[in-house]
Amino acid sequence: MVDRYLEFSHTSFGRALSSMMGLPQPPRLRRDTSGWNDQPLGSRAVSVGATHGADLLPVLLRCLHDSGATVRVRADVGGIETLKKAANEASVALTNQPAPGEGEKSAALVFDASGARLPSDLRVLFDFVQPLVSQLASGGRVVVIGRLPAQLENADAAATAAALRGFVRSLGKEIGRKGSTVNLLEVDPAADAALPGALRFLLSDHSSYISGQCLQLDAKGDMPAVWTASLTGKVAVVTGAARGIGAAISEVLAREGAQVIGIDRPQEERSLAETMGAIGGQTLAADITDAAAPELIASELMSRFGGADIIVHNAGITRDKTLRNMPPHWWDQVLDVNFGAIIRLNEKLLNGVLRDAGRMVCISSIGGIGGNAGQTNYGATKAGLIGYVAALAPKFAEHGGAINAIAPGFIETRMTAVMPMIPREVGRRLCSLGQGGKPLDIAEAVAFMASPYAGGVNGKVLRVCGQNWFGQ
Ligand code: NAD
């Protein structure tokens, strides 16, 4: 659905009127619809800072250098000696940050806070970021990197690492109106090698609607072997693929090289065939709540492809009413489609259909994190999925795979188009980026989770919500 206010606020009359009346002017987000590549920043400038003792710098600097970025540093703030030493180790050339108003703006700021152990260590984060915020290009990216608080040696160090979460969430609310995002990566030392995949994704224009998030890399992971068409040769299954988010997921997985098989209800067969036809995918008409669906889907996957490598549980419905007024069959329908059917399907799919190193992504919702009035049924299912991926993560790790959840915020699809006008406008605007997301935004995040880019991520939930203010 088109966001008419956003379009209007970018006309010259709309711009003048909205600034006169003090109305918000949601930024136009830059989205890269081409495939992932190894130069997500082209030759743009990235400013890098670090605390003393930051130990992710060699991996980080090499990643930026290999992605084609010009790496800038500020000689006048702490951490510069650590940076120079790491640059030497990684054979990466550093350039000096130009003074404000001189030279091009930075496309991104990256700060390695992995050495922070005391509150006073965070002063260098402030010293580095504060003057550069105004030198950040519109649609810029800020990525802060820290260690997992629970793994640090004492309470002071754990608290200092946790402080980064509040920094990122607050900064996101300041820079979102320029279409810029800020996210935190918390990296377990066992996952250091996996940092480049997540970093490149968060710095790219494939993550434009992700802000204010903390993603933990704590699974054993490696750097992807390839940065382009990284899903080539993979068989990917997407439920609810006929339209909306499921159709976009199918398109992006196909764009990245996967052979897609789209599943949707028999009454959607025509639009499913159109969506799959456009991407060279195959169709499977099935209602996932049918008792026969698990056996049917498993046997079709085995006979057509000998199994699957990626499964995306996307199909979902809403039946909204306050609990007091909710008919029992609405409760049952939502619990069954969004949750029960996934568990029943997985009993088959995790028994010889999903191959080793397989990836599973469940589409949750921020409604499962912050809750919504009128959505006790929906919220329960979406929170359930978050618990489900966390519980299954060790089983996936045993087979070299991963299971994660994506929690969309307000996304412009048929599901949100039918909402009454006022809640729809509230849902759209009450986020740092001031607008709803597009199905593409969810699709990019799913493809990330399904790919070697997300090597260190298992059992996690990533919100793709423009930093929606609910549950944040
Ligand atoms: P949508 O209604 O546009 O599409 C859902 C698709 O799932 C449809 O093609 C539908 O036919 C299919 N489906 C429904 N029941 C099915 C069943 N029993 N068997 C097989 N297919 C079935 O919805 P959407 O907005 O694209 O949502 C996709 C997912 O994203 C859902 O899980 C939804 O809960 C989640 N989500 C959406 C939003 C949003 O703002 N749109 C926000 C948070 C989460």
Side-chain angles (χ1 to χ4, degrees), residues 18 97 121 175 186 212 217 221 230 244 270 317 356 364 396 401 404 436:
S18 53
Q97 182 75 33
D121 294 340
I175 64 175
E186 291 181 344
L217 274 58
S230 61
R270 202 139 144 228
I317 59 168
D356 275 357
S364 174
F396 273 75
N404 291 289

Side-chain angles (χ1 to χ4, degrees), residues 319-334 374 376-377:
R319 296 286 181 274
D320 296 353
K321 260 196 199 304
T322 55
L323 186 62
R324 164 202 292 251
N325 296 320
M326 186 175 294
H329 70 282
W330 279 21
W331 174 271
D332 291 341
Q333 280 171 0
V334 171
T376 48
N377 50 359

Side-chain angles (χ1 to χ4, degrees), residues 3 22 44-45 58 67-69 129 132 211 220 277 319 339 347-348 381 405 413 426 439 442:
D3 182 345
R44 284 180 268 171
S67 6
V129 177
L132 293 185
S211 192
K220 202 170 171 308
R319 296 286 181 274
F339 199 18
E347 274 164 23
K348 281 277 172 202
T381 62
T413 68
V426 170
I442 306 306

Side-chain angles (χ1 to χ4, degrees), residues 50-133:
T51 54
H52 294 289
D55 55 2
L56 279 156
L57 281 171
V59 184
L60 156 57
L61 291 172
R62 183 99 304 263
C63 165
L64 293 176
H65 176 269
D66 291 349
S67 6
T70 305
V71 181
R72 290 168 164 177
V73 291
R74 291 187 51 206
D76 56 333
V77 292
I80 186 67
E81 290 313 319
T82 311
L83 259 165
K84 282 185 181 160
K85 195 163 157 262
N88 214 10
E89 203 180 303
S91 308
V92 171
L94 305 177
T95 58
N96 283 329
Q97 182 75 33
E102 286 173 19
E104 67 163 325
K105 292 191 165 192
S106 297
L109 314 181
V110 180
F111 190 87
D112 182 351
S114 58
R117 294 293 182 273
L118 290 168
S120 54
D121 294 340
L122 297 179
R123 178 58 196 263
V124 64
L125 171 68
F126 172 82
D127 289 343
F128 171 75
V129 177
Q130 193 205 33
L132 293 185
V133 167

